[in-house]
Amino acid sequence: MSIEILPTAKEPKRERGKQRVAALIDAGAELFAEKGYEATTMTEIAQRAGAAIGSLYQFFPSKEALAEALFNRYAERAAASFARVEELAPGRPARELADLLIDYKLALRTDRDATIALSSSVAGIVERRKPLGDALRGRIASILRAANRALSEDEAAAAAVIVSQVMKIVPALAATENERPLPLIGETRKLLALYIGEVLRT
Amino acid sequence: MSIEILPTAKEPKRERGKQRVAALIDAGAELFAEKGYEATTMTEIAQRAGAAIGSLYQFFPSKEALAEALFNRYAERAAASFARVEELAPGRPARELADLLIDYKLALRTDRDATIALSSSVAGIVERRKPLGDALRGRIASILRAANRALSEDEAAAAAVIVSQVMKIVPALAATENERPLPLIGETRKLLALYIGEVLRT
Amino acid sequence: MSIEILPTAKEPKRERGKQRVAALIDAGAELFAEKGYEATTMTEIAQRAGAAIGSLYQFFPSKEALAEALFNRYAERAAASFARVEELAPGRPARELADLLIDYKLALRTDRDATIALSSSVAGIVERRKPLGDALRGRIASILRAANRALSEDEAAAAAVIVSQVMKIVPALAATENERPLPLIGETRKLLALYIGEVLRT
Amino acid sequence: MSIEILPTAKEPKRERGKQRVAALIDAGAELFAEKGYEATTMTEIAQRAGAAIGSLYQFFPSKEALAEALFNRYAERAAASFARVEELAPGRPARELADLLIDYKLALRTDRDATIALSSSVAGIVERRKPLGDALRGRIASILRAANRALSEDEAAAAAVIVSQVMKIVPALAATENERPLPLIGETRKLLALYIGEVLRT
DNA sequence: AATGAATGAGTCTTCATTCAT
DNA sequence: TATGAATGAAGACTCATTCAT
């Protein structure tokens, strides 16, 4: 049982290359989201980015490496975005905490779908996803305990799991192609506020 | 009643054949759940079912046909299972309605993962999934309106979307490989009861 | 530094398959000998054997596996062939020993070139080649010591290295496309007889 | 004088360029010897020479051109080196002729491996190798006839083929990574002396 | 001149599907 | 009917070579 050391994305050295890399990751994100990881071909990705297949491989030595790069970008954006939530959270009532968390999800919508598609298909990502989720839940738990000192660690942890699951409804609603996702998101805010309210009251 | 283009699974005439078909669908379900639709090969499926690849094609003329058969089996089981919910629902308080719905999900756990894997990958299934989900939501809306006559159709429909999304937390919890999924399911029951309670109070 | 376990050739289960496998190995042997391992494509090999590329991969899961199978066939034939030499060697004078060894090489000519082409290119073969050569030299040394009891182990070992190198001249002569290789092979017999004579006289 | 179709290496004008060209050829020689012609990439060669891929193509318009340049260098060195042998050969006994020829091979050891790797892989070289070998054999035949006037042209030619083949044992011994190649080279001297002695005695 | 990104034809390999036995 | 060999289109990836900077 050896730890797979797969070659990772190569840093472009010239300015031109950076744009290329971004375009390629974007193309990958779109296609992975649309058709799934396996069904997306490297040729397609290169085409959508307006590059030759060779150029794609110049920067990403394998399909998996591209997936990893995409995942990393998502993880970075998510972390930065959640830091803002933590900053604003202290002292807020349940309703506002719920809104903060829902808005956080809304902001990440774009990369989300692509990353989800990866998590079940790419070996390296499956394992990297769990700690990321754990970290997120830990941070949610902290926010909850800060808001209600009476909460035990275990209670906060369990509530954080539920909160994170409710948050997942947001991108799911977008995926249903519902004509009126907005009122549904409002309804989700209500759901989350209800639950957090209950947790804080305990 | 449905627009069928694909050749569908051939009905096995003998008892022996039925077992084999069931074994093949089971094998497909397991593997699709484990590795995803694309990553699973027909040869693997045949092997796990202890059949030759030729036999697999005897009953299912294509990979897609097998996927469809699996989906159909799931849809039938789900429909039958939900009928029982509808039977027991009338007159129940929010808490009990929530439990009924959660238990429904719990019972379907097995085929669920495999079917999810299909829904994003197999063309024919993507389209068949939506009406199935719509039907489920419609039936949930009916239950809600039966429990609260003051609910408008639109309100009930929106609430049904949220309820169905909350129900999806149940299989998701199983997937997290959490050591203690039980308390979390309890927490999910609480969440759903809370929301349904709110809806019925409106 | 892990030991590479590469999947090996699959045994054909039907009679038809055995002929196929032999034809494929033959095609590989020819092409490897003609153009070298790297320059030969799997498609070419399949074509020359009158098979589809998929059929080639049915039996040999990789180019390397085909190379290995070819090497194994050569090693088996060589071992069997040399056993005959050992049987006939005892009591012979230098001249006849030399002829026996040259004839041994002559008989192996066919697979030889292909196998040589592999030995520098295929990872797994490089390592398997050395022990084979060591074994051959050991058996030559035994023959020499049986013919001359005065020979020390070291002396016999050194002489065996030289003898085996002289034997390599035989296929090399064929490769020079000389119009008259026969007299040259006679000359090689003389060379080897001269050297073995000297060794036995020591 | 030669029929040149391929564009050949460009002559570098400055001193700096000459060093770079030498470094590139050296890098090529090392890598061809280590991994073979086909398995060596132009990028690798440039890297090992500490140059950019563009620089490599500045001097050698194709991989084949680099191979040719390497071959030419080897051919020049070999010719120069053999001239020294011819100078010293007249009037020597068999034993000393043998030593002269073995020492010649020993001196050329370095480029030898790389050039061997080319000779089977590069179209242009395959053809250029034969005349070179013919020339060498011709010069060996001349030395033999000078030492023994009784030798017919054909006899000398045949003997020269054998002598040149025996000489090839020298680099082969180095390749066997034998811990004690020295005594084996001594043994090769003995073999060659034996044969040349026989030829001169005829 | 020097650099390294861009290109795309060509390779190995996989796998759904067909078909002879 | 059952079997598994045969097929070939399609996909990931490589690398000699070109070209803009």
Side-chain angles (χ1 to χ4, degrees):
Chain A
M1 190 162 295
S2 65
I3 297 169
E4 196 69 46
I5 305 259
L6 89 163
T8 54
K10 188 162 95 187
E11 281 300 301
K13 292 185 185 157
R14 302 188 180 176
E15 186 47 42
R16 178 88 175 288
K18 288 192 183 167
Q19 296 170 32
R20 253 291 140 99
V21 163
L24 289 167
I25 297 187
D26 283 340
E30 283 174 35
L31 285 163
F32 289 156
E34 283 170 26
K35 331 176 32 173
Y37 177 75
E38 306 267 8
T40 299
T41 73
M42 290 296 267
T43 305
E44 262 177 318
I45 295 173
Q47 264 174 356
R48 180 161 310 190
I53 180 67
S55 297
L56 176 48
Y57 276 91
Q58 189 100 41
F59 297 109
F60 304 100
S62 71
K63 195 178 180 181
E64 204 169 337
L66 174 62
E68 191 121 356
L70 172 55
F71 179 81
N72 287 343
R73 191 176 77 173
Y74 170 72
E76 277 166 30
R77 289 183 180 176
S81 199
F82 198 80
R84 181 89 185 125
V85 172
E86 290 172 316
E87 201 180 301
L88 297 173
R92 307 260 175 182
R95 174 89 228 178
E96 291 180 15
L97 285 180
D99 283 346
L100 238 32
L101 292 167
I102 299 288
D103 290 339
Y104 159 79
K105 271 296 181 191
L106 240 23
L108 256 46
R109 211 171 354 160
T110 316
D111 280 353
R112 172 90 198 177
D113 286 353
T115 313
I116 284 286
L118 302 181
S119 55
S120 57
S121 301
V122 187
I125 305 268
V126 182
E127 293 132 28
R128 295 201 39 203
R129 191 163 192 82
K130 195 178 134 49
L132 219 76
D134 287 344
L136 179 68
R137 283 187 286 278
R139 292 164 85 174
I140 293 174
S142 296
I143 291 175
L144 294 176
R145 293 191 78 195
N148 178 4
R149 299 300 169 127
L151 234 45
S152 78
E153 255 189 61
D154 278 6
E155 285 168 336
V161 171
I162 299 300
V163 167
S164 73
Q165 289 293 340
V166 171
M167 287 163 69
K168 283 182 185 159
I169 295 179
V170 174
L173 289 179
T176 55
E177 304 178 52
N178 200 299
E179 318 75 42
R180 359 157 267 160
L182 272 9
L184 289 175
I185 286 187
E187 200 66 15
T188 310
R189 291 179 192 276
K190 198 163 83 186
L191 168 68
L192 188 52
L194 218 48
Y195 182 73
I196 293 181
E198 181 73 11
V199 169
L200 298 193
R201 194 170 312 120
T202 307
Chain B
M1 194 145 168
S2 66
I3 305 169
E4 270 311 315
I5 297 160
L6 286 171
T8 52
K10 193 204 277 182
E11 283 299 303
K13 294 292 178 299
R14 333 227 169 168
E15 187 48 41
R16 179 80 179 294
K18 280 193 188 172
Q19 289 174 32
R20 185 145 267 201
V21 163
L24 288 167
I25 297 186
D26 283 339
E30 282 174 35
L31 285 163
F32 290 156
E34 284 170 25
K35 333 175 30 174
Y37 177 75
E38 305 268 8
T40 299
T41 73
M42 290 296 268
T43 304
E44 263 176 317
I45 294 172
Q47 261 175 0
R48 177 157 319 185
I53 179 68
S55 296
L56 175 49
Y57 274 88
Q58 202 89 43
F59 295 111
F60 304 100
S62 72
K63 194 178 181 183
E64 206 168 334
L66 174 63
E68 193 123 355
L70 171 55
F71 180 81
N72 287 343
R73 190 176 78 175
Y74 170 73
E76 278 166 28
R77 290 181 180 175
S81 199
F82 199 80
R84 180 85 185 131
V85 172
E86 290 172 316
E87 199 180 302
L88 297 174
R92 307 261 174 179
R95 173 91 229 176
E96 291 179 17
L97 285 181
D99 282 347
L100 237 34
L101 292 168
I102 298 288
D103 290 338
Y104 159 79
K105 272 295 180 192
L106 241 22
L108 255 47
R109 216 171 353 166
T110 316
D111 279 353
R112 170 93 198 176
D113 287 352
T115 315
I116 284 287
L118 301 181
S119 55
S120 59
S121 301
V122 187
I125 306 266
V126 181
E127 293 134 27
R128 294 200 41 203
R129 192 162 190 82
K130 197 178 133 46
L132 217 78
D134 286 345
L136 179 68
R137 283 186 288 277
R139 291 163 85 175
I140 293 174
S142 296
I143 291 176
L144 294 176
R145 292 192 78 194
N148 178 3
R149 298 300 167 129
L151 234 45
S152 77
E153 253 188 62
D154 278 6
E155 285 168 336
V161 172
I162 299 300
V163 167
S164 72
Q165 290 293 340
V166 171
M167 287 163 68
K168 283 182 185 158
I169 295 179
V170 173
L173 289 178
T176 56
E177 303 179 51
N178 201 297
E179 319 75 43
R180 356 158 270 162
L182 272 12
L184 289 174
I185 286 187
E187 200 68 14
T188 310
R189 290 180 193 276
K190 198 162 83 186
L191 169 68
L192 189 53
L194 216 49
Y195 182 73
I196 293 181
E198 181 73 10
V199 169
L200 298 193
R201 195 170 312 121
T202 307
Chain C
M1 191 161 292
S2 66
I3 298 168
E4 196 69 44
I5 306 261
L6 88 165
T8 54
K10 187 162 98 188
E11 281 302 301
K13 292 186 184 158
R14 302 190 180 174
E15 186 46 44
R16 179 87 175 288
K18 287 192 184 168
Q19 296 170 33
R20 252 293 136 101
V21 163
L24 289 167
I25 297 187
D26 283 339
E30 284 173 36
L31 286 163
F32 289 156
E34 284 170 26
K35 334 178 25 174
Y37 177 75
E38 305 266 9
T40 300
T41 73
M42 291 295 269
T43 305
E44 263 177 316
I45 295 173
Q47 263 174 356
R48 180 162 309 192
I53 180 67
S55 298
L56 175 49
Y57 275 91
Q58 189 99 42
F59 297 110
F60 304 100
S62 70
K63 194 178 181 182
E64 204 169 338
L66 175 61
E68 191 120 356
L70 172 55
F71 180 82
N72 287 344
R73 191 176 77 173
Y74 170 72
E76 277 166 30
R77 289 182 180 176
S81 200
F82 198 81
R84 181 86 184 130
V85 173
E86 289 171 318
E87 200 180 303
L88 297 173
R92 308 262 174 180
R95 173 89 227 175
E96 291 179 17
L97 286 180
D99 283 346
L100 239 31
L101 291 167
I102 298 288
D103 290 338
Y104 158 78
K105 272 296 182 194
L106 241 22
L108 255 45
R109 215 171 350 161
T110 315
D111 280 353
R112 171 90 197 175
D113 287 352
T115 314
I116 285 285
L118 301 181
S119 55
S120 58
S121 300
V122 186
I125 306 270
V126 182
E127 293 132 28
R128 295 201 40 204
R129 193 163 190 81
K130 195 179 135 48
L132 218 75
D134 287 343
L136 179 68
R137 283 186 287 277
R139 292 164 84 174
I140 293 173
S142 296
I143 292 176
L144 294 177
R145 293 193 77 194
N148 177 3
R149 299 299 168 130
L151 233 44
S152 76
E153 254 189 62
D154 278 6
E155 285 168 336
V161 171
I162 299 299
V163 168
S164 73
Q165 290 293 339
V166 172
M167 289 164 65
K168 283 182 185 161
I169 295 179
V170 174
L173 289 178
T176 55
E177 302 178 54
N178 201 299
E179 318 76 45
R180 356 157 271 163
L182 272 11
L184 289 175
I185 285 186
E187 200 67 15
T188 310
R189 291 180 192 276
K190 198 163 83 185
L191 168 68
L192 189 53
L194 218 48
Y195 182 73
I196 293 181
E198 180 74 10
V199 169
L200 298 193
R201 193 170 313 120
T202 307
Chain D
M1 196 147 166
S2 65
I3 305 171
E4 271 311 314
I5 296 160
L6 285 172
T8 53
K10 192 203 280 182
E11 284 297 305
K13 292 292 177 299
R14 334 225 168 172
E15 187 48 42
R16 179 80 180 293
K18 279 193 186 171
Q19 291 174 31
R20 185 145 266 200
V21 163
L24 289 167
I25 297 186
D26 283 339
E30 283 174 35
L31 286 163
F32 290 156
E34 284 171 25
K35 335 175 29 173
Y37 177 74
E38 305 268 8
T40 300
T41 72
M42 290 296 268
T43 304
E44 261 177 318
I45 295 173
Q47 261 175 0
R48 178 156 318 185
I53 179 68
S55 295
L56 174 50
Y57 274 88
Q58 201 91 43
F59 296 111
F60 304 100
S62 72
K63 194 178 181 182
E64 206 167 336
L66 174 62
E68 193 122 355
L70 170 55
F71 180 81
N72 287 343
R73 190 175 78 175
Y74 170 73
E76 278 166 29
R77 288 182 181 175
S81 198
F82 199 79
R84 181 88 186 130
V85 172
E86 289 172 315
E87 201 180 300
L88 297 172
R92 307 263 175 179
R95 173 91 228 174
E96 291 180 16
L97 286 180
D99 282 348
L100 238 31
L101 292 167
I102 298 289
D103 290 339
Y104 159 79
K105 271 296 181 191
L106 241 23
L108 255 47
R109 210 170 356 160
T110 316
D111 279 354
R112 170 93 197 174
D113 288 351
T115 315
I116 284 286
L118 301 182
S119 55
S120 58
S121 301
V122 187
I125 305 264
V126 182
E127 294 133 27
R128 294 202 42 203
R129 191 163 192 82
K130 196 178 135 49
L132 217 76
D134 287 344
L136 179 68
R137 282 186 287 278
R139 292 163 86 174
I140 293 173
S142 296
I143 291 176
L144 293 176
R145 293 192 76 194
N148 178 3
R149 298 300 167 127
L151 234 44
S152 77
E153 253 188 64
D154 278 5
E155 287 169 335
V161 172
I162 299 301
V163 167
S164 73
Q165 289 293 339
V166 172
M167 288 164 67
K168 283 184 185 159
I169 296 179
V170 174
L173 289 179
T176 55
E177 303 179 51
N178 200 298
E179 319 75 44
R180 358 158 269 162
L182 272 11
L184 289 174
I185 285 186
E187 200 68 15
T188 310
R189 292 181 192 275
K190 197 163 82 186
L191 169 68
L192 189 52
L194 218 48
Y195 181 73
I196 293 181
E198 182 73 10
V199 169
L200 298 193
R201 195 171 311 120
T202 307

